[in-house]
Amino acid sequence: MLKDLTSEKLIRLQIEADNWEDAVRKAAEPLEDEGKIKASYIDAIIDSVKTAGPYIVITPHVALPHARPETGALESAIGIATLKSPVAFGNADNDPVKYLFCLSAKDNNSHLGALADLAELLENKEFFELLDKTNDPKEVIDYLNH
């Protein structure tokens, strides 16, 4: 479940980013800091977007940065980040991005339940209203737990 893969330490709210690459690096940083991913994983996310385009922008204003497990995923986890000012990723339908859910998957299957939870959450207007108004990661965790 989503709440099992995230924590207050993996949440960064109202961060400032100069561009999409900076946004991905800052959203993924807590996962690296907490030993969930290696730096190579962040590089792999950025390289894949440069190669394949902004496929990680999955719905309006939402990106799901992720890479292959073998590129440096150490544990399955999800980081949550909001941007103070949205940035363009180059996805005409869904730019600009304001919310990033950085996924680390240590294999191809163990995170699927969490992704299903996330998909449900992304349809919840209340969740985005909370992300827009709070600066407290604990409030986000409390929301996920209820």
Side-chain angles (χ1 to χ4, degrees), residues 1-38:
M1 294 181 67
L2 176 62
K3 66 183 181 181
D4 299 326
L5 293 186
T6 196
S7 70
E8 286 180 49
K9 291 179 177 179
L10 300 179
I11 298 174
R12 297 276 162 88
L13 302 168
Q14 304 299 321
I15 57 179
E16 295 192 31
D18 299 328
N19 53 47
W20 72 266
E21 189 173 330
D22 190 37
V24 167
R25 287 193 185 283
K26 288 179 176 173
E29 189 177 81
L31 279 78
E32 183 183 5
D33 292 347
E34 294 301 312
K36 308 293 185 188
I37 60 173
K38 297 179 184 175

PDB file of all heavy atoms in Angstrom, residues 1-38:
ATOM      1  N   MET A   1       0.836  -1.195   0.000  1.00  0.00           N
ATOM      2  CA  MET A   1       0.000   0.000   0.000  1.00  0.00           C
ATOM      3  C   MET A   1       0.880   1.257   0.000  1.00  0.00           C
ATOM      4  O   MET A   1       1.992   1.237   0.490  1.00  0.00           O
ATOM      5  CB  MET A   1      -0.910  -0.005   1.219  1.00  0.00           C
ATOM      6  CG  MET A   1      -1.938  -1.123   1.201  1.00  0.00           C
ATOM      7  SD  MET A   1      -3.022  -1.087   2.652  1.00  0.00           S
ATOM      8  CE  MET A   1      -3.915   0.438   2.368  1.00  0.00           C
ATOM      9  N   LEU A   2       0.317   2.311  -0.527  1.00  0.00           N
ATOM     10  CA  LEU A   2       1.040   3.574  -0.651  1.00  0.00           C
ATOM     11  C   LEU A   2       1.585   4.058   0.689  1.00  0.00           C
ATOM     12  O   LEU A   2       2.759   4.415   0.794  1.00  0.00           O
ATOM     13  CB  LEU A   2       0.123   4.639  -1.268  1.00  0.00           C
ATOM     14  CG  LEU A   2       0.683   6.043  -1.387  1.00  0.00           C
ATOM     15  CD1 LEU A   2       1.898   6.066  -2.304  1.00  0.00           C
ATOM     16  CD2 LEU A   2      -0.374   6.996  -1.914  1.00  0.00           C
ATOM     17  N   LYS A   3       0.738   4.019   1.715  1.00  0.00           N
ATOM     18  CA  LYS A   3       1.183   4.540   3.016  1.00  0.00           C
ATOM     19  C   LYS A   3       2.357   3.749   3.595  1.00  0.00           C
ATOM     20  O   LYS A   3       3.112   4.272   4.409  1.00  0.00           O
ATOM     21  CB  LYS A   3       0.022   4.623   4.003  1.00  0.00           C
ATOM     22  CG  LYS A   3      -0.550   3.287   4.405  1.00  0.00           C
ATOM     23  CD  LYS A   3      -1.738   3.470   5.326  1.00  0.00           C
ATOM     24  CE  LYS A   3      -2.280   2.126   5.736  1.00  0.00           C
ATOM     25  NZ  LYS A   3      -3.427   2.207   6.603  1.00  0.00           N
ATOM     26  N   ASP A   4       2.526   2.512   3.138  1.00  0.00           N
ATOM     27  CA  ASP A   4       3.648   1.698   3.612  1.00  0.00           C
ATOM     28  C   ASP A   4       4.956   2.035   2.893  1.00  0.00           C
ATOM     29  O   ASP A   4       6.029   1.656   3.360  1.00  0.00           O
ATOM     30  CB  ASP A   4       3.347   0.205   3.410  1.00  0.00           C
ATOM     31  CG  ASP A   4       2.114  -0.235   4.192  1.00  0.00           C
ATOM     32  OD1 ASP A   4       1.890   0.299   5.301  1.00  0.00           O
ATOM     33  OD2 ASP A   4       1.373  -1.098   3.687  1.00  0.00           O
ATOM     34  N   LEU A   5       4.866   2.736   1.765  1.00  0.00           N
ATOM     35  CA  LEU A   5       6.059   3.035   0.971  1.00  0.00           C
ATOM     36  C   LEU A   5       6.530   4.479   1.110  1.00  0.00           C
ATOM     37  O   LEU A   5       7.510   4.869   0.486  1.00  0.00           O
ATOM     38  CB  LEU A   5       5.808   2.722  -0.509  1.00  0.00           C
ATOM     39  CG  LEU A   5       5.612   1.261  -0.877  1.00  0.00           C
ATOM     40  CD1 LEU A   5       5.532   1.094  -2.378  1.00  0.00           C
ATOM     41  CD2 LEU A   5       6.712   0.380  -0.314  1.00  0.00           C
ATOM     42  N   THR A   6       5.822   5.269   1.904  1.00  0.00           N
ATOM     43  CA  THR A   6       6.251   6.655   2.077  1.00  0.00           C
ATOM     44  C   THR A   6       6.330   6.995   3.555  1.00  0.00           C
ATOM     45  O   THR A   6       5.917   6.221   4.412  1.00  0.00           O
ATOM     46  CB  THR A   6       5.338   7.630   1.296  1.00  0.00           C
ATOM     47  OG1 THR A   6       5.998   8.891   1.199  1.00  0.00           O
ATOM     48  CG2 THR A   6       3.980   7.802   1.958  1.00  0.00           C
ATOM     49  N   SER A   7       6.917   8.126   3.847  1.00  0.00           N
ATOM     50  CA  SER A   7       7.031   8.608   5.226  1.00  0.00           C
ATOM     51  C   SER A   7       7.249  10.117   5.180  1.00  0.00           C
ATOM     52  O   SER A   7       7.502  10.681   4.110  1.00  0.00           O
ATOM     53  CB  SER A   7       8.222   7.939   5.929  1.00  0.00           C
ATOM     54  OG  SER A   7       9.434   8.431   5.389  1.00  0.00           O
ATOM     55  N   GLU A   8       7.182  10.740   6.344  1.00  0.00           N
ATOM     56  CA  GLU A   8       7.421  12.191   6.413  1.00  0.00           C
ATOM     57  C   GLU A   8       8.772  12.561   5.813  1.00  0.00           C
ATOM     58  O   GLU A   8       8.911  13.592   5.170  1.00  0.00           O
ATOM     59  CB  GLU A   8       7.359  12.675   7.865  1.00  0.00           C
ATOM     60  CG  GLU A   8       5.949  12.721   8.421  1.00  0.00           C
ATOM     61  CD  GLU A   8       5.920  13.212   9.864  1.00  0.00           C
ATOM     62  OE1 GLU A   8       6.547  14.247  10.145  1.00  0.00           O
ATOM     63  OE2 GLU A   8       5.265  12.548  10.692  1.00  0.00           O
ATOM     64  N   LYS A   9       9.773  11.694   6.012  1.00  0.00           N
ATOM     65  CA  LYS A   9      11.117  11.985   5.510  1.00  0.00           C
ATOM     66  C   LYS A   9      11.206  11.959   3.989  1.00  0.00           C
ATOM     67  O   LYS A   9      12.166  12.461   3.419  1.00  0.00           O
ATOM     68  CB  LYS A   9      12.123  10.990   6.094  1.00  0.00           C
ATOM     69  CG  LYS A   9      12.350  11.173   7.574  1.00  0.00           C
ATOM     70  CD  LYS A   9      13.332  10.144   8.100  1.00  0.00           C
ATOM     71  CE  LYS A   9      13.601  10.377   9.579  1.00  0.00           C
ATOM     72  NZ  LYS A   9      14.522   9.388  10.112  1.00  0.00           N
ATOM     73  N   LEU A  10      10.227  11.353   3.324  1.00  0.00           N
ATOM     74  CA  LEU A  10      10.240  11.252   1.863  1.00  0.00           C
ATOM     75  C   LEU A  10       9.370  12.315   1.195  1.00  0.00           C
ATOM     76  O   LEU A  10       9.172  12.285  -0.019  1.00  0.00           O
ATOM     77  CB  LEU A  10       9.789   9.857   1.423  1.00  0.00           C
ATOM     78  CG  LEU A  10      10.630   8.683   1.927  1.00  0.00           C
ATOM     79  CD1 LEU A  10      10.053   7.366   1.429  1.00  0.00           C
ATOM     80  CD2 LEU A  10      12.080   8.827   1.521  1.00  0.00           C
ATOM     81  N   ILE A  11       8.864  13.250   1.985  1.00  0.00           N
ATOM     82  CA  ILE A  11       7.958  14.278   1.461  1.00  0.00           C
ATOM     83  C   ILE A  11       8.645  15.644   1.502  1.00  0.00           C
ATOM     84  O   ILE A  11       9.190  16.044   2.537  1.00  0.00           O
ATOM     85  CB  ILE A  11       6.646  14.319   2.278  1.00  0.00           C
ATOM     86  CG1 ILE A  11       5.929  12.964   2.155  1.00  0.00           C
ATOM     87  CG2 ILE A  11       5.750  15.458   1.812  1.00  0.00           C
ATOM     88  CD1 ILE A  11       4.698  12.830   3.032  1.00  0.00           C
ATOM     89  N   ARG A  12       8.606  16.344   0.381  1.00  0.00           N
ATOM     90  CA  ARG A  12       9.124  17.715   0.281  1.00  0.00           C
ATOM     91  C   ARG A  12       8.029  18.578  -0.325  1.00  0.00           C
ATOM     92  O   ARG A  12       7.546  18.285  -1.420  1.00  0.00           O
ATOM     93  CB  ARG A  12      10.369  17.781  -0.612  1.00  0.00           C
ATOM     94  CG  ARG A  12      11.545  16.995  -0.102  1.00  0.00           C
ATOM     95  CD  ARG A  12      12.356  17.798   0.928  1.00  0.00           C
ATOM     96  NE  ARG A  12      13.219  16.964   1.739  1.00  0.00           N
ATOM     97  CZ  ARG A  12      14.450  16.603   1.436  1.00  0.00           C
ATOM     98  NH1 ARG A  12      14.973  16.974   0.299  1.00  0.00           N
ATOM     99  NH2 ARG A  12      15.159  15.867   2.256  1.00  0.00           N
ATOM    100  N   LEU A  13       7.658  19.624   0.382  1.00  0.00           N
ATOM    101  CA  LEU A  13       6.534  20.453  -0.047  1.00  0.00           C
ATOM    102  C   LEU A  13       6.990  21.870  -0.401  1.00  0.00           C
ATOM    103  O   LEU A  13       7.860  22.439   0.263  1.00  0.00           O
ATOM    104  CB  LEU A  13       5.481  20.492   1.061  1.00  0.00           C
ATOM    105  CG  LEU A  13       4.953  19.107   1.468  1.00  0.00           C
ATOM    106  CD1 LEU A  13       4.140  19.201   2.743  1.00  0.00           C
ATOM    107  CD2 LEU A  13       4.138  18.494   0.349  1.00  0.00           C
ATOM    108  N   GLN A  14       6.367  22.395  -1.448  1.00  0.00           N
ATOM    109  CA  GLN A  14       6.618  23.769  -1.896  1.00  0.00           C
ATOM    110  C   GLN A  14       8.096  24.023  -2.218  1.00  0.00           C
ATOM    111  O   GLN A  14       8.659  25.044  -1.842  1.00  0.00           O
ATOM    112  CB  GLN A  14       6.107  24.774  -0.847  1.00  0.00           C
ATOM    113  CG  GLN A  14       4.642  24.609  -0.489  1.00  0.00           C
ATOM    114  CD  GLN A  14       3.713  24.801  -1.683  1.00  0.00           C
ATOM    115  OE1 GLN A  14       3.923  25.663  -2.524  1.00  0.00           O
ATOM    116  NE2 GLN A  14       2.686  23.976  -1.780  1.00  0.00           N
ATOM    117  N   ILE A  15       8.708  23.098  -2.923  1.00  0.00           N
ATOM    118  CA  ILE A  15      10.112  23.277  -3.295  1.00  0.00           C
ATOM    119  C   ILE A  15      10.211  24.164  -4.533  1.00  0.00           C
ATOM    120  O   ILE A  15       9.271  24.270  -5.315  1.00  0.00           O
ATOM    121  CB  ILE A  15      10.838  21.930  -3.521  1.00  0.00           C
ATOM    122  CG1 ILE A  15      10.142  21.078  -4.575  1.00  0.00           C
ATOM    123  CG2 ILE A  15      10.975  21.152  -2.227  1.00  0.00           C
ATOM    124  CD1 ILE A  15      10.833  19.754  -4.866  1.00  0.00           C
ATOM    125  N   GLU A  16      11.339  24.807  -4.660  1.00  0.00           N
ATOM    126  CA  GLU A  16      11.584  25.646  -5.824  1.00  0.00           C
ATOM    127  C   GLU A  16      12.467  24.874  -6.793  1.00  0.00           C
ATOM    128  O   GLU A  16      13.476  24.300  -6.393  1.00  0.00           O
ATOM    129  CB  GLU A  16      12.243  26.957  -5.399  1.00  0.00           C
ATOM    130  CG  GLU A  16      11.313  27.778  -4.530  1.00  0.00           C
ATOM    131  CD  GLU A  16      11.785  29.207  -4.327  1.00  0.00           C
ATOM    132  OE1 GLU A  16      12.436  29.762  -5.227  1.00  0.00           O
ATOM    133  OE2 GLU A  16      11.470  29.747  -3.256  1.00  0.00           O
ATOM    134  N   ALA A  17      12.057  24.861  -8.057  1.00  0.00           N
ATOM    135  CA  ALA A  17      12.814  24.155  -9.092  1.00  0.00           C
ATOM    136  C   ALA A  17      12.932  25.058 -10.316  1.00  0.00           C
ATOM    137  O   ALA A  17      11.971  25.726 -10.696  1.00  0.00           O
ATOM    138  CB  ALA A  17      12.121  22.853  -9.458  1.00  0.00           C
ATOM    139  N   ASP A  18      14.115  25.053 -10.910  1.00  0.00           N
ATOM    140  CA  ASP A  18      14.370  25.902 -12.078  1.00  0.00           C
ATOM    141  C   ASP A  18      13.780  25.319 -13.358  1.00  0.00           C
ATOM    142  O   ASP A  18      13.436  26.054 -14.280  1.00  0.00           O
ATOM    143  CB  ASP A  18      15.880  26.096 -12.275  1.00  0.00           C
ATOM    144  CG  ASP A  18      16.524  26.784 -11.077  1.00  0.00           C
ATOM    145  OD1 ASP A  18      15.856  27.609 -10.438  1.00  0.00           O
ATOM    146  OD2 ASP A  18      17.701  26.489 -10.795  1.00  0.00           O
ATOM    147  N   ASN A  19      13.693  23.984 -13.434  1.00  0.00           N
ATOM    148  CA  ASN A  19      13.217  23.317 -14.636  1.00  0.00           C
ATOM    149  C   ASN A  19      12.841  21.874 -14.263  1.00  0.00           C
ATOM    150  O   ASN A  19      12.956  21.492 -13.102  1.00  0.00           O
ATOM    151  CB  ASN A  19      14.305  23.343 -15.730  1.00  0.00           C
ATOM    152  CG  ASN A  19      15.636  22.807 -15.230  1.00  0.00           C
ATOM    153  OD1 ASN A  19      15.698  21.757 -14.586  1.00  0.00           O
ATOM    154  ND2 ASN A  19      16.711  23.523 -15.506  1.00  0.00           N
ATOM    155  N   TRP A  20      12.430  21.103 -15.263  1.00  0.00           N
ATOM    156  CA  TRP A  20      11.958  19.743 -14.967  1.00  0.00           C
ATOM    157  C   TRP A  20      13.057  18.867 -14.371  1.00  0.00           C
ATOM    158  O   TRP A  20      12.807  18.088 -13.458  1.00  0.00           O
ATOM    159  CB  TRP A  20      11.342  19.081 -16.206  1.00  0.00           C
ATOM    160  CG  TRP A  20      12.314  18.672 -17.268  1.00  0.00           C
ATOM    161  CD1 TRP A  20      12.673  19.408 -18.368  1.00  0.00           C
ATOM    162  CD2 TRP A  20      13.071  17.468 -17.328  1.00  0.00           C
ATOM    163  NE1 TRP A  20      13.606  18.722 -19.102  1.00  0.00           N
ATOM    164  CE2 TRP A  20      13.868  17.517 -18.495  1.00  0.00           C
ATOM    165  CE3 TRP A  20      13.158  16.331 -16.513  1.00  0.00           C
ATOM    166  CZ2 TRP A  20      14.734  16.501 -18.863  1.00  0.00           C
ATOM    167  CZ3 TRP A  20      14.020  15.314 -16.883  1.00  0.00           C
ATOM    168  CH2 TRP A  20      14.798  15.388 -18.040  1.00  0.00           C
ATOM    169  N   GLU A  21      14.284  19.019 -14.846  1.00  0.00           N
ATOM    170  CA  GLU A  21      15.376  18.190 -14.353  1.00  0.00           C
ATOM    171  C   GLU A  21      15.664  18.506 -12.886  1.00  0.00           C
ATOM    172  O   GLU A  21      15.844  17.599 -12.060  1.00  0.00           O
ATOM    173  CB  GLU A  21      16.618  18.415 -15.214  1.00  0.00           C
ATOM    174  CG  GLU A  21      17.723  17.444 -14.927  1.00  0.00           C
ATOM    175  CD  GLU A  21      18.898  17.563 -15.897  1.00  0.00           C
ATOM    176  OE1 GLU A  21      18.703  17.945 -17.067  1.00  0.00           O
ATOM    177  OE2 GLU A  21      20.018  17.247 -15.459  1.00  0.00           O
ATOM    178  N   ASP A  22      15.673  19.784 -12.559  1.00  0.00           N
ATOM    179  CA  ASP A  22      15.881  20.221 -11.174  1.00  0.00           C
ATOM    180  C   ASP A  22      14.744  19.690 -10.286  1.00  0.00           C
ATOM    181  O   ASP A  22      14.974  19.232  -9.166  1.00  0.00           O
ATOM    182  CB  ASP A  22      15.952  21.749 -11.134  1.00  0.00           C
ATOM    183  CG  ASP A  22      16.412  22.305  -9.800  1.00  0.00           C
ATOM    184  OD1 ASP A  22      17.292  21.687  -9.156  1.00  0.00           O
ATOM    185  OD2 ASP A  22      15.909  23.384  -9.409  1.00  0.00           O
ATOM    186  N   ALA A  23      13.521  19.729 -10.808  1.00  0.00           N
ATOM    187  CA  ALA A  23      12.356  19.237 -10.055  1.00  0.00           C
ATOM    188  C   ALA A  23      12.506  17.741  -9.749  1.00  0.00           C
ATOM    189  O   ALA A  23      12.261  17.303  -8.620  1.00  0.00           O
ATOM    190  CB  ALA A  23      11.071  19.498 -10.838  1.00  0.00           C
ATOM    191  N   VAL A  24      12.926  16.958 -10.748  1.00  0.00           N
ATOM    192  CA  VAL A  24      13.102  15.517 -10.545  1.00  0.00           C
ATOM    193  C   VAL A  24      14.201  15.272  -9.510  1.00  0.00           C
ATOM    194  O   VAL A  24      14.030  14.452  -8.593  1.00  0.00           O
ATOM    195  CB  VAL A  24      13.416  14.803 -11.879  1.00  0.00           C
ATOM    196  CG1 VAL A  24      13.902  13.374 -11.631  1.00  0.00           C
ATOM    197  CG2 VAL A  24      12.188  14.801 -12.786  1.00  0.00           C
ATOM    198  N   ARG A  25      15.320  15.970  -9.648  1.00  0.00           N
ATOM    199  CA  ARG A  25      16.430  15.774  -8.700  1.00  0.00           C
ATOM    200  C   ARG A  25      15.995  16.100  -7.266  1.00  0.00           C
ATOM    201  O   ARG A  25      16.283  15.346  -6.338  1.00  0.00           O
ATOM    202  CB  ARG A  25      17.638  16.628  -9.093  1.00  0.00           C
ATOM    203  CG  ARG A  25      18.349  16.096 -10.313  1.00  0.00           C
ATOM    204  CD  ARG A  25      19.721  16.739 -10.531  1.00  0.00           C
ATOM    205  NE  ARG A  25      20.296  16.276 -11.787  1.00  0.00           N
ATOM    206  CZ  ARG A  25      20.858  15.081 -11.970  1.00  0.00           C
ATOM    207  NH1 ARG A  25      20.922  14.220 -10.968  1.00  0.00           N
ATOM    208  NH2 ARG A  25      21.344  14.739 -13.145  1.00  0.00           N
ATOM    209  N   LYS A  26      15.280  17.209  -7.084  1.00  0.00           N
ATOM    210  CA  LYS A  26      14.853  17.611  -5.739  1.00  0.00           C
ATOM    211  C   LYS A  26      13.770  16.687  -5.178  1.00  0.00           C
ATOM    212  O   LYS A  26      13.730  16.438  -3.980  1.00  0.00           O
ATOM    213  CB  LYS A  26      14.404  19.065  -5.751  1.00  0.00           C
ATOM    214  CG  LYS A  26      15.585  20.010  -5.900  1.00  0.00           C
ATOM    215  CD  LYS A  26      15.172  21.464  -5.951  1.00  0.00           C
ATOM    216  CE  LYS A  26      16.408  22.355  -6.004  1.00  0.00           C
ATOM    217  NZ  LYS A  26      16.073  23.770  -6.230  1.00  0.00           N
ATOM    218  N   ALA A  27      12.904  16.173  -6.046  1.00  0.00           N
ATOM    219  CA  ALA A  27      11.855  15.247  -5.595  1.00  0.00           C
ATOM    220  C   ALA A  27      12.454  13.904  -5.189  1.00  0.00           C
ATOM    221  O   ALA A  27      11.969  13.248  -4.269  1.00  0.00           O
ATOM    222  CB  ALA A  27      10.812  15.057  -6.686  1.00  0.00           C
ATOM    223  N   ALA A  28      13.521  13.487  -5.880  1.00  0.00           N
ATOM    224  CA  ALA A  28      14.142  12.186  -5.620  1.00  0.00           C
ATOM    225  C   ALA A  28      15.170  12.234  -4.488  1.00  0.00           C
ATOM    226  O   ALA A  28      15.485  11.206  -3.894  1.00  0.00           O
ATOM    227  CB  ALA A  28      14.806  11.667  -6.893  1.00  0.00           C
ATOM    228  N   GLU A  29      15.655  13.419  -4.181  1.00  0.00           N
ATOM    229  CA  GLU A  29      16.708  13.575  -3.167  1.00  0.00           C
ATOM    230  C   GLU A  29      16.403  12.902  -1.830  1.00  0.00           C
ATOM    231  O   GLU A  29      17.264  12.211  -1.278  1.00  0.00           O
ATOM    232  CB  GLU A  29      16.974  15.077  -2.971  1.00  0.00           C
ATOM    233  CG  GLU A  29      18.158  15.419  -2.142  1.00  0.00           C
ATOM    234  CD  GLU A  29      18.355  16.936  -2.100  1.00  0.00           C
ATOM    235  OE1 GLU A  29      17.655  17.594  -1.295  1.00  0.00           O
ATOM    236  OE2 GLU A  29      19.169  17.439  -2.883  1.00  0.00           O
ATOM    237  N   PRO A  30      15.169  13.052  -1.290  1.00  0.00           N
ATOM    238  CA  PRO A  30      14.893  12.387  -0.009  1.00  0.00           C
ATOM    239  C   PRO A  30      15.016  10.867  -0.098  1.00  0.00           C
ATOM    240  O   PRO A  30      15.412  10.229   0.874  1.00  0.00           O
ATOM    241  CB  PRO A  30      13.455  12.793   0.324  1.00  0.00           C
ATOM    242  CG  PRO A  30      13.092  13.886  -0.587  1.00  0.00           C
ATOM    243  CD  PRO A  30      14.043  13.880  -1.732  1.00  0.00           C
ATOM    244  N   LEU A  31      14.696  10.282  -1.242  1.00  0.00           N
ATOM    245  CA  LEU A  31      14.823   8.833  -1.394  1.00  0.00           C
ATOM    246  C   LEU A  31      16.290   8.420  -1.348  1.00  0.00           C
ATOM    247  O   LEU A  31      16.623   7.408  -0.751  1.00  0.00           O
ATOM    248  CB  LEU A  31      14.174   8.364  -2.698  1.00  0.00           C
ATOM    249  CG  LEU A  31      12.657   8.194  -2.636  1.00  0.00           C
ATOM    250  CD1 LEU A  31      11.934   9.518  -2.728  1.00  0.00           C
ATOM    251  CD2 LEU A  31      12.179   7.270  -3.737  1.00  0.00           C
ATOM    252  N   GLU A  32      17.142   9.246  -1.952  1.00  0.00           N
ATOM    253  CA  GLU A  32      18.575   8.958  -1.881  1.00  0.00           C
ATOM    254  C   GLU A  32      19.084   9.156  -0.447  1.00  0.00           C
ATOM    255  O   GLU A  32      19.814   8.314   0.085  1.00  0.00           O
ATOM    256  CB  GLU A  32      19.356   9.853  -2.852  1.00  0.00           C
ATOM    257  CG  GLU A  32      20.839   9.529  -2.869  1.00  0.00           C
ATOM    258  CD  GLU A  32      21.653  10.437  -3.776  1.00  0.00           C
ATOM    259  OE1 GLU A  32      21.111  11.398  -4.349  1.00  0.00           O
ATOM    260  OE2 GLU A  32      22.861  10.180  -3.884  1.00  0.00           O
ATOM    261  N   ASP A  33      18.652  10.253   0.184  1.00  0.00           N
ATOM    262  CA  ASP A  33      19.079  10.551   1.555  1.00  0.00           C
ATOM    263  C   ASP A  33      18.694   9.441   2.532  1.00  0.00           C
ATOM    264  O   ASP A  33      19.416   9.173   3.490  1.00  0.00           O
ATOM    265  CB  ASP A  33      18.462  11.871   2.047  1.00  0.00           C
ATOM    266  CG  ASP A  33      19.006  13.093   1.321  1.00  0.00           C
ATOM    267  OD1 ASP A  33      20.033  12.978   0.605  1.00  0.00           O
ATOM    268  OD2 ASP A  33      18.389  14.170   1.450  1.00  0.00           O
ATOM    269  N   GLU A  34      17.557   8.799   2.274  1.00  0.00           N
ATOM    270  CA  GLU A  34      17.052   7.756   3.176  1.00  0.00           C
ATOM    271  C   GLU A  34      17.484   6.352   2.756  1.00  0.00           C
ATOM    272  O   GLU A  34      16.997   5.357   3.303  1.00  0.00           O
ATOM    273  CB  GLU A  34      15.520   7.840   3.273  1.00  0.00           C
ATOM    274  CG  GLU A  34      15.012   9.112   3.947  1.00  0.00           C
ATOM    275  CD  GLU A  34      15.521   9.273   5.367  1.00  0.00           C
ATOM    276  OE1 GLU A  34      15.443   8.303   6.148  1.00  0.00           O
ATOM    277  OE2 GLU A  34      16.018  10.367   5.700  1.00  0.00           O
ATOM    278  N   GLY A  35      18.370   6.262   1.772  1.00  0.00           N
ATOM    279  CA  GLY A  35      18.907   4.962   1.376  1.00  0.00           C
ATOM    280  C   GLY A  35      17.963   4.091   0.570  1.00  0.00           C
ATOM    281  O   GLY A  35      18.137   2.874   0.499  1.00  0.00           O
ATOM    282  N   LYS A  36      16.966   4.695  -0.056  1.00  0.00           N
ATOM    283  CA  LYS A  36      16.016   3.929  -0.872  1.00  0.00           C
ATOM    284  C   LYS A  36      16.531   3.748  -2.305  1.00  0.00           C
ATOM    285  O   LYS A  36      16.172   2.783  -2.972  1.00  0.00           O
ATOM    286  CB  LYS A  36      14.653   4.633  -0.928  1.00  0.00           C
ATOM    287  CG  LYS A  36      14.073   5.012   0.429  1.00  0.00           C
ATOM    288  CD  LYS A  36      13.706   3.818   1.248  1.00  0.00           C
ATOM    289  CE  LYS A  36      13.007   4.248   2.540  1.00  0.00           C
ATOM    290  NZ  LYS A  36      12.804   3.139   3.450  1.00  0.00           N
ATOM    291  N   ILE A  37      17.345   4.725  -2.766  1.00  0.00           N
ATOM    292  CA  ILE A  37      17.897   4.686  -4.123  1.00  0.00           C
ATOM    293  C   ILE A  37      19.342   5.168  -4.098  1.00  0.00           C
ATOM    294  O   ILE A  37      19.768   5.848  -3.158  1.00  0.00           O
ATOM    295  CB  ILE A  37      17.099   5.571  -5.115  1.00  0.00           C
ATOM    296  CG1 ILE A  37      17.098   7.043  -4.669  1.00  0.00           C
ATOM    297  CG2 ILE A  37      15.685   5.047  -5.312  1.00  0.00           C
ATOM    298  CD1 ILE A  37      16.491   8.027  -5.657  1.00  0.00           C
ATOM    299  N   LYS A  38      20.073   4.833  -5.156  1.00  0.00           N
ATOM    300  CA  LYS A  38      21.415   5.375  -5.368  1.00  0.00           C
ATOM    301  C   LYS A  38      21.301   6.594  -6.282  1.00  0.00           C
ATOM    302  O   LYS A  38      20.302   6.753  -6.988  1.00  0.00           O
ATOM    303  CB  LYS A  38      22.303   4.336  -6.059  1.00  0.00           C
ATOM    304  CG  LYS A  38      22.555   3.079  -5.268  1.00  0.00           C
ATOM    305  CD  LYS A  38      23.419   2.137  -6.102  1.00  0.00           C
ATOM    306  CE  LYS A  38      23.616   0.804  -5.402  1.00  0.00           C
ATOM    307  NZ  LYS A  38      24.350  -0.143  -6.259  1.00  0.00           N
TER     308      LYS A  38
END
